[in-house]
Amino acid sequence: MLSTTSFPPVIVCVGGSDPSAHAGLQADIRVGQDLGVHVTTVVSALTAQNSQSVLAVYPVEKEQFDRQWESILADMTPGVVKIGLLPNAELASATAFWLRTIKTDYPACRIVFDPVGVSSTGHRLHSFTSGDPADSTEPMSWLKMLLPLVDWVTPNTHEFEQIVQSVSTIDQPINRLDLVSKFDHLLAQYPELRQSQWVIKGGHAHNEAKEQSNNQTGSSSRHCVDWLFSEMVKVDGLVSPFGFSSKRQENGHSRGTGCSFATALSSFLALGYDEMDSLTLTKSYINHALSLSYQVGKNTGPLATCGWPSKIQYLPDILQINNNQGASNEVFFPEMEPRSLGLYPVVDTPEWIERLLKAGVTTVQLRVKDPNSATLEQDIRKAIALGEHYQAQVFINDYWQKAIEFGAYGVHLGQEDLLTADLDKVANAGLRLGVSTHGYFEIARAGKVHPSYIALGHIFPTQTKDMPSQPQGTTRLQKYANLLSGVYPTVAIGGINSEVFDAVLDTGVDGIAMVTAITRSANPEQIVTDFMRKINASNASNQFRSKG
């Protein structure tokens, strides 16, 4: 769901206070403010710690804990609750009570649980040995209270292994199982945990998805892969686990990475991004923050703030264990001059293509929706011939085999087509490639095939196609354009007409794809002339500013 409010969404962060501000609630506030959400806090413990060690953990009294919850919920509507350090079973039980209350009063609120067990310095942060018989020392006793109430769980590999070990009934050591087997074993013991989405972070250990998947995923000491296990997410028919892989940072300062990851994820969810976009953004944010991390004490320093993710080099590689396409080598397609895109009509007949090329359009796409059309091959051949005659860039939508056969300039593919098309064959034929995307996750996935341009949509509600995603709007479009600027040419598409054309152009995209605004116009040639004049004026202005 996209955020429709003009004020910052509220997230509640539950955790310990770190006086050195390397981790804990201080890091939560720093990350949330950096990403534009309002962070409220419920202090579970006061800690005495610094860059070298955790000296002491002082749990707050339950009455103090509860009053903090009461004060927030009486005044604000939480979008996401992030649970961090819970130092004892009493506060874990109290947290379960408040989560049940929130689930009743604010059913749209999502819960992110980061099961903090040990600090980065190796100090155990929780203790369930209060002496009260009601406080069980069995780790799963408090996990059983919390896990059925949460939507996301974000343990690192060590924390996840501790959780699995606590429910193990098998003879062999857990650490000898691959990650998928560990997760399957956990769900076999507690099937109710299937309702949660698990992100198992790989920063603390080598990633072991499946023994035979190492060549696919590129898992090694040089890469950190965070794996999403979820029965709620399907992407083009593919199911989890999905991997979000990045090169390991050499900086060495990483205090607070776990809590920063969970808080960044909470922030993006609160801002209205879906699961896969939120994870892609979180990974990108942490990668950038790690690259800027710094030493402020005598030992390991904290992550830096880095603002909204806008550096494409920090986007993760997207991996999928059960998909052979994910194992293929990277593909590279011919580059395009960004300014050559401009006005980019998408039409369904060669007659329209000829009419538009005569009007001065230089880039156009043939999109024939019916694969059983009796004139399909004829239409593709004619469209390609028109492009050659007018020296224009004509792209063929979907039909990549026929585009190769008939010598097209380029082909445009959707995300699902990237999994089935022979991309090596398309590239070897010298065709340009355009790829449709609908958010950060799909941009990251498209980046692996190095297309000639990336289409961004849909920006507004469209009349030509039923879309599973929601309209992006110009605010998000501008963020996408900034991310891809100078790396891939960009094309905005979806519901763009005369009323919004200027706003779309101002985002900095290189091309604007239009359909009904042209084809249903009383005077298409005049509309084309007007739009092209605006694009040319914008290009001239941008060129002047760059020289200045």
Side-chain angles (χ1 to χ4, degrees):
M1 179 183 297
L2 302 189
S3 178
T4 57
T5 59
S6 58
F7 49 85
V10 173
I11 67 173
V12 181
C13 290
V14 181
S17 173
D18 174 4
S20 70
H22 284 71
L25 293 175
Q26 285 80 352
D28 294 337
I29 295 171
R30 193 161 59 238
V31 170
Q33 289 179 335
D34 201 27
L35 295 175
V37 302
H38 183 80
V39 180
T40 62
T41 61
V42 175
V43 181
S44 63
L46 299 176
T47 72
Q49 61 178 297
N50 53 34
S51 66
Q52 299 174 289
S53 64
V54 177
L55 303 176
V57 177
Y58 304 102
V60 302
E61 297 292 333
K62 181 179 179 299
E63 180 181 357
Q64 298 170 334
F65 189 69
D66 288 339
R67 292 302 295 273
Q68 294 177 77
W69 279 105
E70 291 170 0
S71 65
I72 294 170
L73 297 181
D75 192 42
M76 302 179 193
T77 300
V80 177
V81 173
K82 178 245 176 172
I83 308 297
L85 171 62
L86 296 174
N88 57 39
E90 182 181 39
L91 295 188
S93 178
T95 299
F97 167 82
W98 288 109
L99 295 186
R100 286 191 291 269
T101 300
I102 288 171
K103 287 289 186 181
T104 300
D105 295 344
Y106 309 103
C109 180
R110 280 161 291 183
I111 313 299
V112 176
F113 178 37
D114 185 33
V116 180
V118 179
S119 73
S120 301
T121 59
H123 189 284
R124 182 166 294 279
L125 295 171
H126 61 60
S127 171
F128 300 106
T129 56
S130 65
D132 187 335
D135 286 353
S136 170
T137 59
E138 181 191 357
M140 277 305 292
S141 65
W142 60 276
L143 287 174
K144 287 177 187 176
M145 290 188 293
L146 294 172
L147 289 178
L149 299 170
V150 305
D151 302 293
W152 290 82
V153 192
T154 63
N156 60 42
T157 52
H158 292 166
E159 292 161 346
F160 178 69
E161 192 166 286
Q162 290 172 357
I163 292 172
V164 177
Q165 188 72 57
S166 69
V167 302
S168 176
T169 58
I170 59 177
D171 296 332
Q172 62 177 304
I174 288 295
N175 59 10
R176 293 185 183 177
L177 297 178
D178 60 67
L179 192 57
V180 173
S181 298
K182 291 174 186 175
F183 190 75
D184 288 344
H185 179 67
L186 177 64
L187 294 189
Q189 298 293 316
Y190 291 94
E192 64 271 23
L193 302 185
R194 294 179 185 273
Q195 68 181 7
S196 300
Q197 304 188 80
W198 291 71
V199 184
I200 303 173
K201 299 171 295 187
H204 286 69
H206 294 180
N207 290 274
E208 353 98 54
K210 281 185 176 178
E211 193 67 33
Q212 67 268 32
S213 73
N214 285 339
N215 291 333
Q216 287 187 6
T217 64
S219 297
S220 71
S221 60
R222 295 180 292 107
H223 290 82
C224 167
V225 186
D226 301 331
W227 289 99
L228 169 66
F229 288 82
S230 171
E231 296 191 357
M232 303 170 64
V233 174
K234 287 187 178 181
V235 179
D236 300 325
L238 300 176
V239 296
S240 74
F242 292 94
F244 297 76
S245 175
S246 300
K247 289 183 179 179
R248 290 184 182 273
Q249 301 285 341
E250 302 296 334
N251 191 312
H253 298 294
S254 58
R255 283 292 303 281
T257 304
C259 53
S260 295
F261 183 101
T263 304
L265 174 62
S266 300
S267 299
F268 293 123
L269 290 170
L271 288 165
Y273 288 90
D274 67 19
E275 293 92 341
M276 303 305 271
D277 278 358
S278 292
L279 271 175
T280 304
L281 282 164
T282 297
K283 186 74 171 180
S284 180
Y285 180 83
I286 295 298
N287 287 339
H288 195 184
L290 279 168
S291 74
L292 300 174
S293 60
Y294 55 93
Q295 185 171 11
V296 67
K298 296 179 180 180
N299 207 326
T300 306
L303 276 63
T305 55
C306 55
W308 191 267
S310 60
K311 304 286 186 182
I312 195 170
Q313 65 265 36
Y314 297 118
L315 280 181
D317 290 329
I318 306 301
L319 311 175
Q320 218 283 329
I321 291 176
N322 299 314
N323 172 36
N324 290 332
Q325 180 69 22
S328 65
N329 294 325
E330 290 185 298
V331 187
F332 292 84
F333 288 86
E335 295 183 1
M336 294 182 65
E337 168 59 40
R339 292 181 60 188
S340 73
L341 287 165
L343 183 64
Y344 186 171
V346 178
V347 294
D348 57 4
T349 67
E351 288 73 25
W352 264 113
I353 288 180
E354 184 170 19
R355 185 174 179 179
L356 293 169
L357 295 181
K358 285 181 178 179
V361 169
T362 58
T363 303
V364 67
Q365 182 183 134
L366 177 69
R367 183 170 70 188
V368 180
K369 296 181 180 180
D370 181 9
N372 299 313
S373 169
T375 62
L376 177 62
E377 288 196 6
Q378 178 183 340
D379 289 345
I380 293 175
R381 284 181 183 273
K382 190 172 181 180
I384 294 171
L386 286 167
E388 293 172 351
H389 178 75
Y390 286 94
Q391 296 185 328
Q393 302 174 154
V394 177
F395 285 83
I396 306 302
N397 185 281
D398 285 349
Y399 305 106
W400 59 271
Q401 298 99 326
K402 298 186 186 301
I404 293 174
E405 181 182 353
F406 304 143
Y409 173 83
V411 64
H412 183 95
L413 299 177
Q415 288 283 313
E416 64 280 3
D417 300 314
L418 297 180
L419 304 175
T420 58
D422 189 335
L423 298 179
D424 289 323
K425 193 172 183 179
V426 177
N428 290 336
L431 274 64
R432 278 74 176 170
L433 174 68
V435 175
S436 294
T437 64
H438 306 87
Y440 287 96
F441 172 76
E442 293 187 352
I443 289 173
R445 190 162 69 163
K448 187 172 183 179
V449 303
H450 303 280
S452 304
Y453 72 81
I454 290 180
L456 307 164
H458 60 301
I459 309 306
F460 301 101
T462 176
Q463 303 175 44
T464 61
K465 189 176 181 181
D466 292 331
M467 303 296 293
S469 57
Q470 295 191 42
Q472 301 289 315
T474 54
T475 299
R476 291 194 180 192
L477 176 61
Q478 186 159 34
K479 292 181 185 297
Y480 301 146
N482 291 341
L483 177 73
L484 297 169
S485 178
V487 182
Y488 295 110
T490 53
V491 176
I493 187 169
I496 301 171
N497 55 32
S498 302
E499 295 178 358
V500 299
F501 187 89
D502 290 349
V504 172
L505 188 59
D506 287 343
T507 65
V509 291
D510 302 298
I512 299 179
M514 306 186 77
V515 188
T516 58
I518 293 175
T519 60
R520 296 183 185 179
S521 168
N523 190 342
E525 284 77 10
Q526 186 59 52
I527 287 288
V528 165
T529 298
D530 293 342
F531 287 153
M532 291 182 65
R533 184 184 299 117
K534 289 184 176 183
I535 290 174
N536 291 335
S538 176
N539 287 339
S541 176
N542 292 337
Q543 188 175 17
F544 176 79
R545 283 198 296 268
S546 65
K547 288 182 178 180

